[in-house]
Every structure is written in structure tokens, then in C-alpha cells.
Amino acid sequence: MITLGTALAFAGAAVAAGFAGVGSAVGVGIAGQAGAGVVSEDPDKFGNVLVLQALPGTQGIYGLLIAFIIVLNLGVIDGNVKDLTTFQGMALFCAGLPMAIGGLMSGIYQGKVAASGIYLCAKRPEETGKGIILAAMVETYAVLSLLISFIMVNGVKL
Amino acid sequence: MPQASYEYAVGRISQLSTKMLDAAKLRRIFEAGSVQESLALLLETGYGGSLTPEQIASEEIDYVIREQLQISRKVVWEVTPAPELTSLFLLEVDGHNLKTLLKARLLGVEAPDVLIEGGSFPLDQLKECVASANYDALPEAYRKTMNKIEAELARGVDSLKLSAEIDGAMFRHIKSVLDKKNDHSFVRDYFSLQADFQNARSVVRARLLNWDVDKLRLMLLEGGEIDFNVFLEGMNIPMEQLGAQFNRGKNGKLISQSVEEYVATGNASVLKRKMETALMNVLRSVKWDMFSLGPIIGYLMGREAEAKALRVIFGAKRGGFEYELPELYA
């Protein structure tokens, strides 16, 4: 029988991976559509477009990382799921939230900036680097979310 | 397979707009040694890609320009995620076709050369409507107007009135579409500015040609911010006060300044030039709204302006005189 605390910890892992994954999916989707438009007119730009399209994909990886650490701490991997108190579970749930919310929002907005970078690449291919830098700036906030979630997850003593 | 998303559409348009001609490129085309060299420079920019060497060799520059314009209209039509709003910007093509078909029918001649593909309504549909004098397939504003024109034709032909009524139908249709969609984007700003400016120009023209108020009323276009009565009253006030008379609403200041400049210089082309600049400024204001219709319509109207500029340039080159470029988007 799984305790409420353990269930909350699972929920924390689920929102971290799920929401950040949605953010990445939407972001990569936005940039991908923009990229398809540019490449359909100039296939030679595929390389530059691909780099920009891939940028919003990192949030999903960060979310997966946090979710993985949570389930690892819970003992899911070795088959001995721990019984957590409600407060321990609540703490792990809250630890997953920064990555969930930060990953969701930054993924979507990074996708929009990456799409704009793709338009920049279409008009001025020599400035693609600047488009990548602009999109990478949004990454900062996904990394900050990852950092705080990581610290919080590690701060919960089981 | 084209996708109906702004991201995809603006991506394609961003790439295509790199081929648009700016003032510097147009200058180079003008300064080439001969018309043939100018044409060769134009072909290097991507024009004439789908034409045969024989068609290009005929040096029918208008053919090359029209071909490119049709390709641009087709691409925009293919990628736009908002076809209903986009179609409003192509209604001028339909207006031209309707007027041409109607006049050709009245004269008993064919008019295939001057008809333009790429309007909001399929050309074959327009041909059929005019040939059968049955306009049920057209939107209400056009249907009512065309039926009225057909009834009036029995009494006589007034080509100016015919043209004004079709233009009026176009703006009534635009207004009905925008009202139905509750659109308050740059599209409404664009057509409202165009209607107000055209109405002010009509007042100036009416005064120059001594038209009566009834004739002016026929020329007035719906959809602007300035009330029709303001324009009608403009017939009876001193010319020096005409600018101030139009200074109402969002577009008033600009129109007022343009009319005052016309009154000061006596040059009626000032109004047209100021209107083109103002309309292009509306499109430029949304040029960087990357997830909207702005860049798509900007490209379409930019290509239209480019075609106009090329006609001016080649005309000036053949005539051996200096040109004045119309307002460009690029």
C-alpha cells in the first residue's frame, strides 16, 4: 500500500517531467513549423534551422532529470519503494514544481524566440549565431528552475 | 504540404522576402545600359523563373512583372492561415476583373489579356457571372451592387459610375467581413485609412471637376472613421479650410496635413503619394509581429508596390526620363 506521501512524491516527478516535456514539445513544434517554412524555400538552411529548432528541447531533458532523481530517491529503480510521510511527499512535490512551471513556460517562449531566430536566419544567414544566442538567453531560466528543483529534491531527507 | 500556421507561413515569407527589390536594386536596374540589360538584371533577381526564353525574349516587361505578381499572390494564398482576411487584400484584382469583364461584354469583345489571375474569387466564376448577368455566387455586397448595375445598364452606360459602384461594393464587403469577424487588427486600420484617404481625394477631385454632391456621394467609400457628412460638407467650404475639415478620428491628422500640402502646392499627386506612404506604414508597423498576418500581407502588398515601381522604372527607361518611385515595402 503506497502512502499519501509517496503518491505526492510521484506526482512531483510526474509534473516535472510532464509539464517541462509539454513546454519542450510546444517550443520545438513552434520552431519546427517556422523551420519547415524556411527550408521549403531554401533547403540549404536546414543545418542552421535544426540547431535553433533543437534549443527548446532541453527543458524536457531537465524535467526528466528531476523526475528521475525523485524516483531514484524513492527507490523505484531497485524495486523497494519507500513509504514517505505526507510532509516528505509534499516537499518532493513542491521540489518538482519549479522545473514543471519553469520548463513549461521557458520551453514555449524559447520556441517563439527560436522561431524568430529562424526568420532571422532566413533573412540574414550570416547572423544565425545571434539568433542562437537570443534563444539561448531563455534557457537561463530553465537552468535556474532545474537548479532550484535539484537543490530542493536533494534537501528532502528520506 | 503547406500547413495553416503563422509560424510556417512567416518562415516561407521571410525567405521569399529576401528576393524583394529595394530602392538600391531598382536603381541598379534603371541605370543598366539598355532596356535589355535592365531586363537581364531583373531576371537575375528571380523574376521570369517560370517563363520560357521566347516569352522573355519578347521583352514584354509587363508579362514578366505580372507573372511574378501572380506567383506571389499564389504563394500567399497557399500559406495564409487567415484566408478570409487575406482575401480582402486581393479584392482590387477582382474589382479590376469585374470592371473589365463588364466593359468587354458591353463592347462585345473578349478581354483575356487584361484579366488578372489571383483575386479573391476564381476568374472563371467572375467570367460566368458577368456573361450570364447572374451574381448569386458572389458575396452579398457584390451581388446587390452588380444586380443594380445590370438594371442601370438598361438605361445607359456611365463607366465612372460603374467603376465607383464596384469600388463601393468592395469596401462594403470588406466592412461586413471585418464586422463579422470582429476584427480590430491592422487590417481594419489599413482599410479604414484607405477609405478615409480615398474619400478625401474624391472631395478634392469633385471640387476640381465641379461635380455635384450626388456624384460625390456615389464615390464615397464605407469603412472609414470620418463620417460621410464631413466629406459632403467639404464641397461647400473654402479650400483653405478643407484640411481642417477632415481632421477627425484616428486618420484625420494625416489626411488633414496631406490636404493642406495639396492646397499649398496645387499638386494633386501629393494626396496619392501620402496615402501610399501611410498605408505602407500601417503594414510596416506589423512587419515584425512574427506570429500574425502582418508579415504575410506586408509581403503581398510589398510585391504589388514592387510591380508598380518596376513598371514606372521601365517606362522611364524607355522614355528616357527620371522616375519617381512609388512607396516600397522592402
Side-chain angles (χ1 to χ4, degrees), chain B residues 41-54:
Chain B
L41 276 178
L42 180 63
L43 296 177
E44 278 174 24
T45 65
Y47 270 73
S50 58
L51 298 177
T52 62
E54 292 76 33

Side-chain angles (χ1 to χ4, degrees), chain B residues 29-194:
Chain B
I29 290 171
F30 179 72
E31 285 174 348
S34 62
V35 174
Q36 287 90 334
E37 284 175 35
S38 291
L39 181 59
L41 276 178
L42 180 63
L43 296 177
E44 278 174 24
T45 65
Y47 270 73
S50 58
L51 298 177
T52 62
E54 292 76 33
Q55 285 170 318
I56 291 168
S58 71
E59 278 186 34
E60 273 297 330
I61 186 65
D62 200 59
Y63 199 73
V64 177
I65 295 169
R66 254 198 301 172
E67 186 71 13
Q68 182 60 47
L69 207 46
Q70 280 181 16
I71 291 170
S72 303
R73 288 188 190 122
K74 199 174 152 212
V75 168
V76 166
W77 199 240
E78 191 179 296
V79 302
T80 180
E84 213 173 347
L85 290 178
T86 305
S87 72
L88 302 182
F89 290 87
L90 297 168
L91 286 173
E92 275 192 37
V93 174
D94 300 304
H96 164 86
N97 288 338
L98 272 175
K99 290 173 196 174
T100 307
L101 286 165
L102 209 51
K103 286 173 188 171
R105 195 191 76 192
L106 292 172
L107 294 169
V109 294
E110 289 286 325
D113 283 351
V114 281
L115 294 174
I116 309 172
E117 290 274 1
S120 295
F121 313 122
L123 189 52
D124 287 338
Q125 187 188 50
L126 289 185
K127 282 180 184 171
E128 204 177 308
C129 285
V130 175
S132 62
N134 181 347
Y135 302 97
D136 289 348
L138 298 183
E140 192 186 358
Y142 280 98
R143 191 169 59 242
K144 281 185 178 170
T145 303
M146 295 309 292
N147 286 335
K148 188 177 160 215
I149 288 173
E150 291 288 350
E152 285 167 355
L153 285 177
R155 292 193 292 275
V157 181
D158 179 346
S159 63
L160 182 71
K161 195 175 174 198
L162 185 149
S163 181
E165 282 180 337
I166 292 176
D167 290 342
M170 172 180 140
F171 274 83
R172 273 194 298 282
H173 174 63
I174 290 169
K175 188 175 181 299
S176 75
V177 171
L178 293 177
D179 287 347
K180 199 170 75 184
K181 291 188 85 69
N182 200 18
D183 179 275
H184 292 283
S185 67
F186 76 97
V187 180
R188 188 179 288 270
D189 292 343
Y190 183 92
F191 287 112
S192 135
L193 181 66
Q194 193 177 15

Side-chain angles (χ1 to χ4, degrees), chain B residues 222-280:
Chain B
E222 283 184 28
E225 290 212 335
I226 304 174
D227 193 78
F228 277 7
N229 287 329
V230 174
F231 294 111
L232 297 173
E233 285 163 14
M235 292 291 278
N236 303 314
I237 59 172
M239 208 61 182
E240 297 72 35
Q241 292 173 19
L242 201 57
Q245 168 76 1
F246 298 148
N247 193 357
R248 294 156 204 242
K250 203 164 60 176
N251 308 321
K253 195 176 171 192
L254 194 61
I255 293 169
S256 166
Q257 285 170 350
S258 306
V259 172
E260 277 164 9
E261 194 177 325
Y262 156 69
V263 172
T265 60
N267 182 1
S269 70
V270 164
L271 286 171
K272 187 167 187 275
R273 194 161 42 81
K274 291 272 182 186
M275 182 181 79
E276 286 174 352
T277 306
L279 290 174
M280 211 49 102

